Amino acid sequence: MSYELTLSAQTLRAVPFGTRVGAAVEAGFQGLGLSVEQYKDALEAGWTDRRMTDLLDARGLRVTEIELLTAWGGGAGRRAREDDALAERLVALFRPERVHATVFAARPLDDLAAGFAGVCRKAAASGARAALEFLPYAGIRTIGAAWEVVAAAGETNGGVLVDCWHWARSGATAADLAPVPAERIIAVQLADALRTPLRDPRYEARHHRLLPGEGGGHVAGMLDTLRAHGVRASLAAEVVSDMLDVQDPRLTARQVHRACVGVLEEADFPGRPVDGARTHAPVPTTGDQAPTGPLSAVPYGRPRMPGAL
């Protein structure tokens, strides 16, 4: 079976916009994640909104996820509020399937519920869903806590984002998943975890994830659990790795896509099947297209780190 997959923002996170688009398409991805930081970088490199959307249309690629809203829970600084405002504008511009949200510090449930309800309503205005991400080292640490916020918010387009790495490091089980309605799992992000956790989980999450199926996160087992629960969610690859960052982005995209398909097939996970390979229109040369030649290791520098992972 083939799967519709999104290349999340934090895979090829430091690669210029045009190069990411080309690498994603050539590897077989149908969707692209975009962060506020990546959008800012594209503008600084001379891209305009029209050029970006024209390139996406020409390559048959869609921005399916925007991230990351972090100020909605209250108590955030000016920069976080400005980034949230920009992310909301990107949702209106690209009209993705979903926008991702989380918080870094613990907040009262009432504040989180009210704030997330606002995120949902703004997303709904552009036809998007709002996906709340739990991170085991931040303000919402478990899938149960995330669902509590989503349920209290009371908006039908709100749901939970399940990231394989966060699932593994939070120690989530089928029992933790049981209270969450299957249809409220909006998306699943694929990656694997080191067999021996590092002392700093946030650092590990941002620098040392592995390709799905190559670590100790039991990704196929997690997918089995989700499938048994009835989850039929959008699928994305979020392999945040310093090792992969220094490779040719086309090689990384292909490795990531192949690994994701491998674990999905192993788990017999239902996706949105696509028929065969698509033919893409040629794209005029831009200043940051993927390099030509063999797929050798090409350093792309150290990425600017976004909010949460």
Side-chain angles (χ1 to χ4, degrees):
M1 175 182 284
S2 297
Y3 292 88
E4 281 195 5
L5 285 165
T6 287
L7 184 74
S8 288
Q10 302 316 314
T11 310
L12 305 186
R13 51 190 166 167
V15 174
F17 178 78
T19 307
R20 285 189 75 234
V21 169
V25 169
E26 292 168 18
F29 289 96
Q30 286 79 34
L32 188 74
L34 187 68
S35 71
V36 167
E37 289 80 6
Q38 288 167 331
Y39 177 75
K40 290 178 181 178
D41 287 345
L43 294 182
E44 290 176 4
W47 288 86
T48 64
D49 292 351
R50 179 61 180 271
R51 282 187 65 210
M52 283 187 263
T53 55
D54 283 352
L55 177 62
L56 291 164
D57 289 344
R59 300 307 303 264
L61 195 66
R62 180 186 173 199
V63 171
T64 51
E65 56 186 38
I66 296 291
E67 64 177 36
L68 180 72
L69 297 170
T70 63
W72 51 272
R78 179 176 60 85
R79 179 175 176 181
R81 295 194 301 271
E82 290 175 350
D83 283 351
D84 274 21
L86 179 53
E88 290 163 3
R89 191 176 81 75
L90 296 184
V91 173
L93 172 64
F94 292 104
R95 303 188 74 83
E97 292 181 2
R98 58 195 176 274
V99 59
H100 297 170
T102 195
V103 292
F104 294 124
R107 303 288 299 173
L109 177 59
D110 288 347
D111 290 354
L112 293 174
F116 189 67
V119 170
C120 292
R121 288 191 290 269
K122 290 177 181 177
S126 297
R129 301 186 74 183
L132 183 58
E133 185 171 15
F134 63 95
L135 297 85
Y137 47 78
I140 300 172
R141 299 193 169 200
T142 66
I143 190 171
W147 171 240
E148 188 176 17
V149 173
V150 172
E155 300 293 331
T156 58
N157 69 320
V160 177
L161 167 64
V162 175
D163 177 301
C164 291
W165 193 95
H166 298 316
W167 171 281
R169 288 295 184 251
S170 68
T173 66
D176 299 314
L177 180 65
V180 187
E183 68 275 11
R184 303 303 285 275
I185 304 294
I186 290 179
V188 177
Q189 290 184 330
L190 302 170
D192 215 329
L194 297 173
R195 297 185 185 279
T196 302
L198 300 183
R199 290 184 179 180
D200 184 344
R202 180 177 299 206
Y203 180 83
E204 182 186 336
R206 294 182 171 190
H207 298 279
H208 294 292
R209 300 191 192 193
L210 302 175
L211 293 171
E214 292 193 353
H218 307 293
V219 177
M222 186 211 73
L223 291 171
D224 282 337
T225 299
L226 294 175
R227 177 178 51 79
H229 189 61
V231 173
R232 306 291 184 268
S234 296
L235 301 167
E238 187 171 77
V239 187
V240 194
S241 164
D242 288 356
M243 292 289 289
L244 295 180
D245 282 342
V246 299
Q247 289 189 154
D248 185 296
R250 295 173 300 168
L251 175 59
T252 293
R254 291 177 183 178
Q255 289 176 328
V256 170
H257 190 276
R258 183 168 57 247
C260 288
V261 171
V263 294
L264 289 165
E265 290 181 340
E266 181 182 348
D268 195 24
F269 193 83
R272 301 177 189 173
V274 293
D275 298 323
R278 299 183 302 168
T279 301
H280 302 284
V283 179
T285 301
T286 68
D288 62 3
Q289 293 299 307
T292 58
L295 296 177
S296 57
V298 178
Y300 271 80
R302 210 146 167 88
R304 281 171 43 183
M305 290 307 304
L309 298 166

